[in-house]
Each structure stands twice: as structure tokens, then as C-alpha cells.
Amino acid sequence: MSDMTDLVLGLDTFGDVPQDAGVTLSHAAAIRQVIEEAVVADELGVDVIAVGEHHRPEYSISAPETVLAGIAARTSRIKLASGVTVLSSDDPVRVFQRFATVDAISNGRAQAILGRGSFTESFPLFGYDLSDYDVLFEEKLDLFVKLLDEKPVTWSGTTRAALDTAEVFPKTESGRLDTWVGVGGSPQSVVRTARHGLPLMLGIIGGSAARFGPYIDLYQRAAAQFGTVAHPVGMHSPGFVADTDEEAKEVFYPPYKVMRDRIGAQRGWPPLRREEFDAEVEHGSLYIGTPETVARRIAGAVKTLGVGRFDMIYGSGALPVGARMRAVELFGSKVAPMVRDILAG
């Protein structure tokens, strides 16, 4: 990335259901909490708020665009992204229409980040066969890219009804919806994103960020080969900001371990050990600590990979509401300006 002044710094959330005074919030209250956090992020100059789609009890957001529309009505400048929209188990035409609607409500601030999703609950929920995992995303992304031209669409595939010079409404005012692809670590997904000429968002949730360097090289080489644009790459990773390093770790670790072990039990991972957690905080992909600590680590990752965007997943697990809001405040008021200062220096 040649110009660090163009660096985009954002916040991501899956709408994890938080706690307030030891009481777990309802899904409805958790959604309202995300909207309040987004309003604060907007006021403090954070570039993007991204909300992810999940269909699990520990997360409150299953309809990202609806939450983004709520945020749009109460904010003025922050970009409104999904992180990600699970395109494989949705209809591309409806996804486009919903995002174009958010784009209208927000005066052009909507951003679709499309992905296959890290969980599989949406497939049986919406009547899709997991054995079609690859073809569903391949075909639906192909159709979505055609929809981005906002012209009559003719398309046919195996995963939904064919379209013959179909017009899709509403159109966006800019003429093109801002659209990215979120990738977790599959080289084929990186190449597919380059083939379509879309920006790439890397989900880096463990290990050193440096190990994703080859994916960025692959994206740039593939774009050159296909004759498409290699956009500045984005990355998102979990993090948490508090007034001291110790406080950040002690507040974040217990709910993070519960969440991580619950997912790990389903995927055959051993329970998370504190030493592993501390190692991830020191050298891996957990950006946890004071504003200074987190800013230094983010700036290091941005420099190492040359990315143009960093989004921090700020609310992993059932964190206390107050601690989560404080993390948003510190990220917007201190972390983001420090990252820019470090990189400018």
C-alpha cells in the first residue's frame, strides 16, 4: 500500500450477546446495543462498521442489512458493511436489493462483504445441501457480479431459477454497489475474487498475520493474469481495548474462552489454554490491550502485509456491555489516530 493516509480502520461485530451486571441480554437488546455502539463509532470518526451474519444462539444478528438500515438512520458518515453476508444460502437478487436499499437510506454508505460463512447452520435452515457448498457460492457470486452492473441480467445455473433480461430494483445512485469478498484462507477463493475484480477481505483469526502474505501476492498475481483490478486488500481480526493491558486481557479472556471452547468442541479442537491465548495476544492475531498496545500491533500488521484496511472484531463472547462500549470509544478516539501517526512516522 503506497499511501498510508488512505488506510481504512473499522470495527466488526457478530452481535455477540453481551452481559449487563452479570445478566445475559436478550437478542433484541443485543441488537439495540450494536446500534448504539455504531452511533458512537460514527461520532468518533471510525471509517466502517461491519456486522456479520450468524444463525446461532450466542449471536444476535442474522439479518445484517436490517441492522445496517437501523444504523443508517442514526449515523451520517460511517460506512455500513456486512461481515460477512452468507451468499451461499441466500438469494443474490434479494441480497442486492436489500443492500441497494441500505445504500439509499444511508446516502451511498452501504458495503456488501460476501462470503461462504465460517458456520454451516444457514444451509439446512434455508434448505440447502452442504454437499453443494462450493457450487452454491461459485454460481451465486457469478450472478451477484452481473447484478452489480445494474443492467438487465441474463443468467442460468444449477442453484436457482434462470434470469432472462431481468431488471432488478432499486438501482443505486452511484451506479454500483460497493462489494467485497471475505476469505478465510482458501487459495481458490482468493483467485475467484481476483477473477471477478472484487476487493479482498482476509479473515485472520489466529497465528501471525505475516503468514497471509502469500494470499495477497496470489491475489495480485491472479488479478494481473485475469486483467482485473487488484484493489487494496483488507483484513479483520479479533481485538479488545481497555485502559490497561492487564484489564483488557482479564475482561476479554473468560468469555472468549467460553466461546472458543464451544466452537472448538464442534470442530475437534482442544480447549483453549491461557498460554495459547497470551501467545496470540503477544505475537498472533488477537489485538488486545491499551490503545497504545493495540495501535502498535495493528500498525505492525498493516505494514507487514501492506493492507489498505484493518477491521477489528471488538466484541467476542459475552463481554460486559460497559466494557464493550469503552472498547469502541477507545478504538475511535485513540487507537485509530495512533495507528495513522505510527504509520505516518
Side-chain angles (χ1 to χ4, degrees):
M1 186 179 57
S2 55
D3 188 357
M4 293 295 178
T5 59
D6 293 335
L7 178 67
V8 173
L9 293 169
L11 287 168
D12 282 12
T13 180
F14 304 139
D16 302 65
V17 177
Q19 294 198 336
D20 191 10
V23 177
T24 301
L25 267 60
S26 66
H27 286 106
I31 290 169
R32 292 191 292 269
Q33 179 63 29
V34 168
I35 294 172
E36 295 304 324
E37 289 158 358
V39 169
V40 170
D42 179 60
E43 290 167 353
L44 291 172
V46 176
D47 295 321
V48 185
I49 181 79
V51 300
E53 172 189 347
H54 287 90
H55 303 269
R56 297 168 59 87
E58 62 266 41
Y59 303 117
S60 65
I61 299 173
S62 61
E65 306 94 337
T66 312
V67 178
L68 294 174
I71 295 169
R74 294 190 52 200
T75 56
S76 60
R77 43 155 303 282
I78 196 166
K79 277 266 190 186
L80 308 169
S82 56
V84 299
T85 293
V86 185
L87 188 65
S88 307
S89 56
D90 211 327
D91 183 85
V93 175
R94 292 299 281 149
V95 172
F96 177 86
Q97 290 174 321
R98 295 194 302 259
F99 270 102
T101 302
V102 174
D103 204 57
I105 295 167
S106 66
N107 285 307
R109 291 184 281 135
Q111 184 178 84
I113 303 183
L114 310 172
R116 296 195 289 183
S118 57
F119 294 102
T120 57
E121 287 84 0
S122 65
F123 289 82
L125 190 62
F126 299 118
Y128 292 101
D129 192 329
L130 269 172
S131 65
D132 297 329
Y133 187 79
D134 289 320
V135 71
L136 280 165
F137 190 71
E138 182 73 51
E139 286 195 1
K140 291 186 177 191
L141 183 62
D142 182 58
L143 172 53
F144 199 91
V145 169
K146 287 183 166 55
L147 294 167
L148 291 176
D149 291 333
E150 302 193 16
K151 293 172 181 166
V153 172
T154 298
W155 179 91
S156 65
T158 63
T159 53
R160 59 149 285 148
L163 297 174
D164 183 13
T165 58
E167 285 274 18
V168 176
F169 305 100
K171 311 290 186 187
T172 63
E173 285 179 322
S174 70
R176 192 168 180 88
L177 180 68
D178 187 5
T179 303
W180 295 53
V181 176
V183 173
S186 151
Q188 296 91 332
S189 296
V190 172
V191 172
R192 182 195 296 118
T193 305
R195 188 176 82 239
H196 287 300
L198 294 173
L200 176 71
M201 174 63 80
L202 291 169
I204 304 179
I205 58 170
S208 163
R211 69 195 179 92
F212 277 76
Y215 290 94
I216 295 174
D217 294 340
L218 175 63
Y219 173 70
Q220 292 166 341
R221 287 201 319 274
Q225 202 171 325
F226 291 122
T228 57
V229 177
H231 301 270
V233 173
M235 64 179 285
H236 88 159
S237 294
F240 183 68
V241 196
D243 293 303
T244 69
D245 287 338
E246 201 53 38
E247 181 196 355
K249 286 191 279 192
E250 295 315 311
V251 170
F252 186 86
Y253 178 70
Y256 179 75
K257 176 174 167 56
V258 169
M259 178 202 70
R260 168 72 163 60
D261 288 352
R262 187 189 297 121
I263 295 167
Q266 297 171 336
R267 298 184 178 182
W269 303 341
L272 178 68
R273 293 179 298 116
R274 181 61 194 246
E275 307 87 83
E276 290 174 69
F277 171 78
D278 288 337
E280 278 291 335
V281 172
E282 286 299 314
H283 313 292
S285 292
L286 287 177
Y287 295 78
I288 293 170
T290 62
E292 294 83 357
T293 299
V294 173
R296 194 175 65 248
R297 298 236 25 251
I298 290 173
V302 168
K303 255 196 280 201
T304 297
L305 292 177
V307 293
R309 172 174 174 176
F310 184 103
D311 288 2
M312 188 182 83
I313 309 165
Y314 67 90
S316 301
L319 287 162
V321 164
R324 217 167 80 169
M325 183 63 90
R326 179 71 176 146
V328 171
E329 291 168 352
L330 289 172
F331 184 88
S333 64
K334 296 191 172 179
V335 174
M338 282 182 194
V339 172
R340 297 185 198 285
D341 286 348
I342 292 167
L343 292 171

